[in-house]
Amino acid sequence: MEPSPAAAPPAPVPPAGPPAPTVNVLLFAVAGAVTVANIYFPQPLLAAVARGLEVSERTAGLIASAAQIGYALGILLLVPLADTARLRRLTSVLLALTTASLLVAAAAPDVVTLTLATLALSTTTVLPQILTPVAAVLAGPGRRGRVVGLVGLGLTLGSTLSRTVSGAVTDASGSWRAAYVVAAAATAALLWFLPRRLPQRMGEPSETRPAGRRRSSYLRLLAGLPGLLAAHRELRISALLGACVFAAFSVFWSVLAFHLAAPPLGYGPGAAGLFGLLTLPAALLSAVAGPAADRYGPRAVNAWGLAAAGLGLGVAGSAPYSPVALVAGANLLVIGVSSCQVASQARIFAIGQAVAARVNTVFMLATFGGGALGSLAGSWLYTAYGWSAALLAAGACVAVAGLLVAVVARPAVPTCGPDATREAGGIRPSTSQERTPQGET
């Protein structure tokens, strides 16, 4: 009997790497709420700032615009780094710079210094737009909408409740500067525990990436952003929707403090900030947008979110001196805008994890660019023509967004031939042999 051939040696088993990180939704939501609050907490203080620094309401409105412009700049210049940089180091630097800028704003002797400090702090407080794509990548396709929705809930709570806290702190202390000190302390506190809880990098470690996907230079990251916008229809749709919806949102909130302070209402910063607390039901209800986007698709959630936002503006405009109508309108606007943003982000994060931070950069850049224009237009329209004119402009923005959803955001017409590799929504599953998403450099 012949001897049996020698068995083939077993294939080498690669060494086990560190376990894949999981998304800590609560941590991401809290950190996002604290940092995004830095953009919104000054809004109820604008009338107090105008009195304290002896400037006009229109001049004080530049602070809200500076916050939106700075946030857009930070999204453009800093958020793309999250695709390649060490997340823990990047987070620590951003938190430290934001804290320092908040302290400068608290001590600002004039409106120019305060505006420049606001521009600086809003440029570096872009952590929410880094945490959101990180959470989406860690969650995976099956839970993407739900996780983005929960993190988005934290952002909504931060943006709304920050107005309540800042108004209450200003009323209790008698100075708008105290609100900036409180914000600096809250931001600095994140330095103690947030960076160490993040993964080192987005997606897979750099040493395990294929040769064609090594880290890109900073300039190549920025240069690839227009290519992403040109290559992905989903990104173009979401960017346009984000700009229109957030312009309407910013018009409302940038002039609300002035409207409440003017006769016959005559409310102070505390009452303006109270609107954040009174819109808490809407902020909590917006959490259903994520699961709804997973189940029904982003377009359906965009549609009913826009309907809620339009209805809210109509209610607030129909009874401008009724606190009940103003609160109801603010709630409808908050849930509508929050739902639209969650649905739009669920749409763009399906493009691929390799470019998650950069597609979010394009989306949020468009969103806050629209917000900055909304703040400028709202302050000018309110000063020149009053509350009704400002809300009409906000309603026009919602109407344009509705037209986009009705006409442009329809699903693409499928080709005649079947494509076994295509999933619903036109996104192909990622494999180790598949080329990287278009627009990646």
Side-chain angles (χ1 to χ4, degrees):
M1 182 171 110
E2 295 182 356
S4 60
V13 178
T22 58
V23 56
N24 189 329
V25 179
L26 179 60
L27 173 65
F28 282 23
V30 170
V34 170
T35 49
V36 81
N38 295 327
I39 305 299
Y40 300 102
F41 82 81
Q43 290 179 348
L45 313 180
L46 295 179
V49 169
R51 291 192 301 268
L53 298 180
E54 299 181 348
V55 297
S56 67
E57 292 180 345
R58 182 180 297 183
T59 301
L62 293 175
I63 297 169
S65 298
Q68 302 291 352
I69 293 170
Y71 203 45
L73 285 174
I75 290 168
L76 171 64
L77 299 176
L78 300 176
V79 173
L81 291 172
D83 277 336
T84 60
R86 294 184 182 274
L87 292 175
R88 297 175 184 178
R89 181 184 303 171
L90 178 63
T91 298
S92 299
V93 171
L94 292 178
L95 289 172
L97 291 175
T98 302
T99 301
S101 298
L102 284 165
L103 293 175
V104 171
D110 51 52
V111 71
V112 174
T113 304
L114 179 57
T115 302
L116 292 176
T118 301
L119 184 68
L121 72 90
S122 58
T123 300
T124 57
T125 191
V126 291
L127 192 59
Q129 306 314 323
I130 292 175
L131 296 178
T132 302
V134 170
V137 167
L138 295 179
R143 298 176 61 232
R144 184 182 293 122
R146 183 181 301 273
V147 168
V148 170
L150 291 174
V151 175
L153 173 61
L155 304 189
T156 302
L157 291 174
S159 63
T160 54
L161 294 181
S162 64
R163 301 180 178 98
T164 302
V165 173
S166 65
V169 168
T170 299
D171 277 353
S173 64
S175 172
W176 56 267
R177 300 178 187 274
Y180 282 87
V181 175
V182 171
T187 303
L190 292 177
L191 273 168
W192 293 99
F193 63 89
L194 178 63
R196 69 189 67 178
R197 302 295 180 87
L198 293 175
Q200 282 287 357
R201 295 187 187 276
M202 181 87 75
E204 69 267 58
S206 59
E207 61 268 15
T208 66
R209 293 177 182 171
R213 292 183 58 189
R214 299 297 180 190
R215 286 193 296 158
S216 300
S217 69
Y218 176 67
L219 292 179
R220 290 184 67 191
L221 286 175
L222 297 185
L225 296 180
L228 286 170
L229 188 62
H232 299 288
R233 177 176 178 267
E234 298 87 353
L235 183 56
R236 294 193 296 273
I237 292 170
S238 290
L240 288 172
L241 287 173
C244 292
V245 172
F246 207 66
F249 186 81
S250 297
V251 167
F252 180 87
W253 286 104
S254 65
V255 303
L256 179 63
F258 299 135
H259 179 64
L260 293 175
L265 295 174
Y267 297 139
L274 185 61
F275 268 69
L277 183 61
L278 295 176
T279 55
L280 182 60
L284 295 173
L285 190 58
S286 67
V288 305
D294 284 336
R295 182 172 183 179
Y296 301 109
R299 183 171 180 255
V301 178
N302 281 141
W304 70 261
L306 288 172
L311 180 59
L313 292 171
V315 169
S318 63
Y321 303 115
S322 167
V324 174
L326 292 174
V327 170
N331 271 276
L332 287 167
L333 183 63
V334 166
I335 189 173
V337 172
S338 300
S339 298
C340 282
Q341 178 159 322
V342 168
S344 295
Q345 286 184 301
R347 180 186 291 114
I348 64 172
F349 289 143
I351 292 173
Q353 76 173 41
V355 291
R358 277 167 283 173
V359 295
N360 196 49
T361 293
V362 175
F363 170 70
M364 295 308 301
L365 182 63
T367 297
F368 281 91
L373 293 176
S375 296
L376 283 172
S379 298
W380 183 83
L381 286 170
Y382 179 81
T383 303
Y385 303 106
W387 174 253
S388 296
L391 291 195
L392 282 174
C397 294
V398 173
V400 172
L403 185 63
L404 287 171
V405 171
V407 178
V408 181
R410 289 181 178 178
V413 178
T415 58
C416 295
D419 183 354
T421 66
R422 187 174 299 277
E423 295 180 334
I427 305 301
R428 298 180 61 182
S430 175
T431 66
S432 59
Q433 303 299 323
E434 186 182 13
R435 61 180 177 84
T436 58
Q438 296 184 51
E440 185 182 0
T441 56

